[in-house]
Amino acid sequence: MSKMEEIRQTVADNMHRVAKLGQWPSHINAEKSLLSRIPEPGKEAPGFDAGIACALGLIPRDKQQLAAQLHANYTPKAVKLVRRQSVQMHEDAPTTWWLAACWLCDEAGVSQRDFLRQVSAFKRLAADPQTRRKVAREELERKKKLFVVLDGIAYGAQDGAAQGAYIAGVDLAVVWMEKYGIYFVSTYHESLGLEDFVWSDRVDDQGRLMSGPIHGSRQFVKTGSQEELGKMLEIAKAHLAIG
């Protein structure tokens, strides 16, 4: 069995444990949410993140709950914990472990070779508390600079912008990912209020839908249309009492 096959099997063996630990909503598919991040031969995928780190046991078991939760179940309580722990950024705090994993996260298209490098890099961080704390602080500061706020909504164009907005106290975030031609809209509250929204059936050049919930989430959705985005934001702002 190759190293990548071993990793995939380990994640498969632990994905439901991570989902339970993070109290993921029942509509979140653990396989799609975690295994889909691991690149297949000759293909790219989102790659390493804190959820993968939990499934691989690279974050200590007693420090995994926050990282597991923030993979697919943002809540006001979890965001408040991040805000509180990030003030001191103790090297062994759950927030520090989560941010250190985020520091290595790419999302822009990760090959198998890149993925293995990410895993190796995180193993080094796991063994080096001071560097882990340092990169966690760097990641926190990076996230805080990735967005601007207009009419109560955070807008960004890089991975991590939404999390930075949440930590700063902004309830609704829009992140434009040029590579995919898609706007991602999210909140750390229970729902965006878009459960009854009629989504476009537009697809990309690979036949994938460009609009709709991400892995069935009520907090995290996407659209490839500015017109649809405007309609979504009107509903979400009203639902979250923004403005």
Side-chain angles (χ1 to χ4, degrees):
M1 184 181 292
S2 70
K3 186 62 176 177
M4 286 299 301
E5 289 172 335
E6 288 179 10
I7 288 173
R8 180 174 292 278
Q9 187 60 57
T10 300
V11 172
D13 290 343
N14 285 277
M15 60 188 181
H16 295 298
R17 176 188 66 79
V18 175
K20 183 177 180 180
L21 180 65
Q23 299 178 311
W24 296 1
S26 58
H27 58 266
I28 299 294
N29 185 305
E31 181 174 354
K32 288 183 178 179
S33 190
L34 286 174
L35 285 180
S36 65
R37 301 190 67 87
I38 303 174
E40 299 281 358
K43 297 182 180 180
E44 294 183 340
F48 183 86
D49 76 342
I52 294 291
C54 290
L56 291 177
L58 301 179
I59 296 176
R61 283 287 186 104
D62 63 340
K63 307 296 180 183
Q64 287 187 11
Q65 198 279 328
L66 178 66
Q69 182 171 357
L70 293 180
H71 185 83
N73 180 27
Y74 275 79
T75 65
K77 183 178 179 180
V79 172
K80 287 178 182 178
L81 179 62
V82 172
R83 291 173 188 160
R84 185 170 71 250
Q85 291 186 344
S86 62
V87 175
Q88 296 295 327
M89 201 70 78
H90 186 279
E91 58 266 21
D92 209 31
T95 292
T96 305
W97 282 100
W98 172 67
L99 285 168
C102 291
W103 184 74
L104 288 166
C105 191
D106 191 330
E107 299 284 353
V110 175
S111 68
Q112 287 194 333
R113 178 177 291 184
D114 295 332
F115 184 84
L116 290 173
R117 287 173 178 166
Q118 289 177 317
V119 171
S120 294
F122 192 76
K123 288 180 178 178
R124 291 193 293 271
L125 289 177
D128 186 344
Q130 293 306 311
T131 302
R132 184 169 65 247
R133 183 186 188 194
K134 176 178 177 290
V135 301
R137 286 193 179 281
E138 289 177 2
E139 179 64 13
L140 178 64
E141 292 307 310
R142 184 188 75 87
K143 289 181 185 299
K144 289 181 177 179
K145 297 175 181 176
L146 294 180
F147 64 92
V148 295
V149 180
L150 299 171
D151 297 325
I153 303 174
Y155 292 89
Q158 294 184 52
D159 180 55
Q163 292 97 328
Y166 302 160
I167 295 168
V170 185
D171 293 338
L172 180 61
V174 178
V175 179
W176 163 250
M177 297 301 285
E178 184 174 3
K179 178 177 181 178
Y180 305 111
I182 286 176
Y183 298 94
F184 292 93
V185 181
S186 62
T187 183
Y188 60 92
H189 294 284
E190 183 178 357
S191 167
L192 287 162
L194 297 170
E195 287 79 7
D196 297 323
F197 192 81
V198 179
W199 301 99
S200 165
D201 59 2
R202 181 184 172 195
V203 297
D204 63 15
D205 55 8
Q206 296 184 42
R208 298 173 299 193
L209 286 171
M210 297 184 71
S211 299
I214 307 296
H215 300 307
S217 176
R218 300 169 64 198
Q219 301 172 297
F220 187 31
V221 302
K222 64 182 179 180
T223 178
S225 162
Q226 288 190 0
E227 180 181 359
E228 190 172 51
L229 175 66
K231 294 177 181 178
M232 291 162 52
L233 292 180
E234 285 184 15
I235 295 171
K237 284 183 69 174
H239 181 74
L240 295 170
I242 296 172

